[in-house]
Amino acid sequence: MAQHFSLAACDVVGFDLDHTLCRYNLPESARLIYNSFAQFLVKEKGYNKELLTVTSEDWDFCCKGLALDMEDGNFIKLADNGTVLRASHGTKMMTPEALAEVYGKKEWKHFMSDTGMPCHSGKYYFYDNYFDLPGALLCARVVDSLTKQNGQKTFDFWKDIVAAIQHNYKMSAFNENCGIYFPEIKRDPSKYLHSCPESVKKWLRRLKKAGKILLLITSSHSDYCRFLCKYILGNDFADLFDIVITNALKPGFFSHLPSQRPFRTLENDEEQEALPSLDKPGWYSQGNAVHLYELLKKMTGKPEPKVVYFGDSMHSDVFPACHYSNWETVLILEELRGDEGRKPEESEPQEKKGKYEGPKAKPLNTLSKKWGSFFIDSVAGLENTEDSLVCTWTCKRISTYSTIAIPSIEAIAELPLDHKFTRFSSNNSKTSGYYPNPPLVLSNNETLITK
């Protein structure tokens, strides 16, 4: 494979919406998502009212890449070889001794090898995006509460979390003003959403002018997608995209082979009849990557049009688009924006600073003191030997399935379309695919990381 990647070489440029084209004010959106779940658990399911009170320090628990073992209430951080680097029971971190006793040096029992996609099974859940992370804090605090109340050893609260998700985020919730999340976003979008910078809007128009086909593929429903796009891009946003696919139900959009979900037409944001194939550009719901690619062949006149897809979730966007569809992938990784070497407040745009009063949640893209770096961690050595550094499992997946990783689209919007990015590859260094700069913790320790 070529060492470099260029947008100029792509025929089709696709985007996820949430946390990709649409950036959120993370401290505010995190608090809103947490409340949308916590209020439901307390009012509808009888959970302890303590869940409703969150301190600014509580947010330090949030770190992308954690897995929850639903049965025992443990959260874990994995090394690239599947061993457990750190763990907590609820929010209480395990001591090195307890960690060694519970997990030892062996692979975690649910570990998936590099070729597998961690499914959100009934036994564990991976937290890999900013919509998920507030739920990690809530679940950890639920475990704390149940352990404290009655010393529970096994846990069965996940069904209530699913009910909270269904209540707040079901397909009709935006239209019906149901739950807490959508009514609040509609009431004050400027508190939660960042408009697309003018540089990004110009960049999208440049892509169109250069003859690229532009796609928007989001798992958000049509009405919420329309609301977000109008706010961040303006009323003429639909002119930017050749094809818009909502309620895409990723990762199944890419991975459900060969039993693909059909595309559906929309009328007033309501799903209509199923289509046997996709014949023309437009606005659709559900669907699958196979039928979409057939349409892209017709639109480009090429037997194998080259597609690049931008997304923020390894689970829903990057891994399946790369693994199943063989698309180029650009991971939006805000951890590069909230790097360990920066002050947390630098991760927010200047105009947002000081706008909201009260104790703020830390931005979710900044370093967690409890969990350490998103990218690497240390492993205790044997007696009389030094600790060694290893890549985390999430860091390894970034370099395996992403073409490049960037902190935001804005970071590349003013580059020429033929700019040559150094791609991730097994032949390059561990830091090669990060643009504009690798994470400090990786570049500073690259020679020390155990292979």
Side-chain angles (χ1 to χ4, degrees):
M1 187 179 278
Q3 186 178 359
H4 294 103
F5 161 76
S6 167
L7 286 168
C10 297
D11 305 295
V12 182
V13 185
F15 301 94
D16 177 37
L17 179 57
D18 295 291
H19 301 289
T20 299
L21 272 177
C22 178
R23 281 192 56 230
Y24 286 73
N25 179 10
L26 293 179
E28 296 296 342
S29 64
R31 194 152 48 188
L32 176 59
I33 292 166
Y34 180 95
N35 287 338
S36 74
F37 293 140
Q39 296 271 6
F40 180 85
L41 290 187
V42 172
K43 291 178 180 176
E44 303 297 327
K45 299 294 182 180
Y47 281 74
N48 194 309
K49 288 181 181 176
E50 288 178 1
L51 293 176
L52 301 176
T53 306
V54 188
T55 68
S56 53
E57 291 77 27
D58 289 333
W59 291 103
D60 183 63
F61 184 82
C62 294
C63 176
K64 277 202 302 198
L66 301 183
L68 164 63
D69 188 318
M70 294 177 190
E71 188 178 35
D72 60 23
N74 290 350
F75 287 79
I76 61 166
K77 177 186 181 183
L78 290 170
D80 57 6
N81 64 359
T83 55
V84 178
L85 291 165
R86 303 190 191 199
S88 72
H89 181 68
T91 63
K92 308 294 186 290
M93 299 304 293
M94 288 187 186
T95 63
E97 295 76 22
L99 188 71
E101 184 181 336
V102 175
Y103 295 107
K105 299 284 185 185
K106 60 185 184 295
E107 275 188 8
W108 180 50
K109 60 186 176 183
H110 298 303
F111 180 66
M112 299 288 289
S113 71
D114 237 13
T115 54
M117 181 168 70
C119 58
H120 289 165
S121 76
K123 295 180 179 178
Y124 61 91
Y125 191 91
F126 275 96
Y127 292 90
D128 92 323
N129 63 69
Y130 296 125
F131 271 144
D132 277 351
L133 278 191
L137 174 59
L138 178 65
C139 288
R141 297 187 73 213
V142 165
V143 171
D144 289 347
S145 177
L146 294 174
T147 304
K148 183 178 169 184
Q149 281 174 6
N150 47 27
Q152 273 183 235
K153 294 288 190 291
T154 59
F155 298 87
D156 187 28
F157 60 82
W158 191 254
K159 63 183 186 303
D160 296 330
I161 299 293
V162 171
I165 294 170
Q166 174 60 18
H167 174 70
N168 280 283
Y169 303 99
K170 63 185 177 184
M171 196 165 182
S172 59
F174 184 88
N175 184 45
E176 294 173 358
N177 249 18
C178 175
I180 289 175
Y181 181 82
F182 290 124
E184 179 60 17
I185 292 277
K186 284 195 265 189
R187 186 188 69 80
D188 192 1
S190 66
K191 183 176 179 180
Y192 302 102
L193 307 173
H194 297 315
S195 294
C196 262
E198 199 55 43
S199 62
V200 173
K201 295 177 190 177
K202 287 179 180 174
W203 179 75
L204 292 170
R205 289 192 284 268
R206 267 199 295 148
L207 288 168
K208 288 277 285 186
K209 193 174 179 183
K212 311 301 179 189
I213 293 171
L214 265 57
L215 312 173
L216 184 61
I217 308 174
T218 174
S219 290
S220 288
H221 298 307
S222 180
D223 47 11
Y224 186 50
C225 171
R226 197 179 300 277
F227 173 84
L228 291 181
C229 287
K230 277 184 181 176
Y231 183 83
I232 67 167
L233 291 168
N235 291 333
D236 59 349
F237 75 90
D239 296 340
L240 293 169
F241 302 102
D242 298 279
I243 302 169
V244 176
I245 300 164
T246 61
N247 194 26
L249 301 169
K250 296 176 292 182
F253 181 85
F254 299 102
S255 64
H256 280 184
L257 304 171
S259 56
Q260 296 99 4
R261 268 189 294 260
F263 281 94
R264 293 181 177 274
T265 56
L266 287 157
E267 196 172 302
N268 298 324
D269 293 320
E270 295 288 329
E271 291 184 350
Q272 305 299 311
E273 82 265 22
L275 302 174
S277 61
L278 201 59
D279 296 325
K280 59 184 180 182
W283 190 300
Y284 299 97
S285 191
Q286 297 195 41
N288 63 86
V290 174
H291 288 174
L292 171 62
Y293 198 64
E294 290 302 315
L295 174 61
L296 296 176
K297 289 178 188 178
K298 288 184 197 172
M299 292 175 70
T300 59
K302 295 183 177 182
E304 292 186 354
K306 188 170 182 178
V307 185
V308 59
Y309 187 62
F310 288 71
D312 71 297
S313 169
M314 180 59 64
H315 173 78
S316 299
D317 300 317
V318 171
F319 173 82
C322 170
H323 186 69
Y324 296 104
S325 297
N326 203 28
W327 291 359
E328 300 277 16
T329 53
V330 177
L331 176 65
I332 305 296
L333 190 63
E334 289 206 33
E335 280 68 19
L336 297 175
R337 179 185 295 276
D339 210 334
E340 281 88 339
R342 301 181 189 172
K343 293 176 183 175
E345 61 268 22
E346 284 183 27
S347 66
E348 289 305 316
Q350 184 70 35
E351 70 271 14
K352 290 287 178 183
K353 293 179 185 176
K355 191 171 177 183
Y356 307 114
E357 302 303 322
K360 291 190 74 171
K362 82 173 181 74
L364 299 185
N365 56 9
T366 53
L367 180 69
S368 162
K369 292 173 187 169
K370 282 193 171 184
W371 293 104
S373 170
F374 174 77
F375 300 97
I376 64 173
D377 213 331
S378 59
V379 176
L382 299 170
E383 200 172 341
N384 301 323
T385 63
E386 290 186 2
D387 293 357
S388 58
L389 290 175
V390 297
C391 281
T392 60
W393 179 70
T394 43
C395 183
K396 184 180 181 183
R397 286 174 74 81
I398 289 169
S399 60
T400 304
Y401 297 111
S402 312
T403 304
I404 60 171
I406 59 176
S408 65
I409 291 174
E410 191 178 0
I412 65 169
E414 294 184 2
L415 297 175
L417 297 184
D418 61 358
H419 179 88
K420 287 182 167 57
F421 297 93
T422 303
R423 64 168 67 236
F424 286 113
S425 119
S426 54
N427 301 325
N428 295 333
S429 75
K430 284 184 169 65
T431 59
S432 60
Y434 294 101
Y435 182 89
N437 299 300
L440 286 174
V441 72
L442 271 185
S443 53
N444 291 346
N445 294 289
E446 190 171 6
T447 57
L448 304 175
I449 297 170
T450 305
K451 299 293 184 204

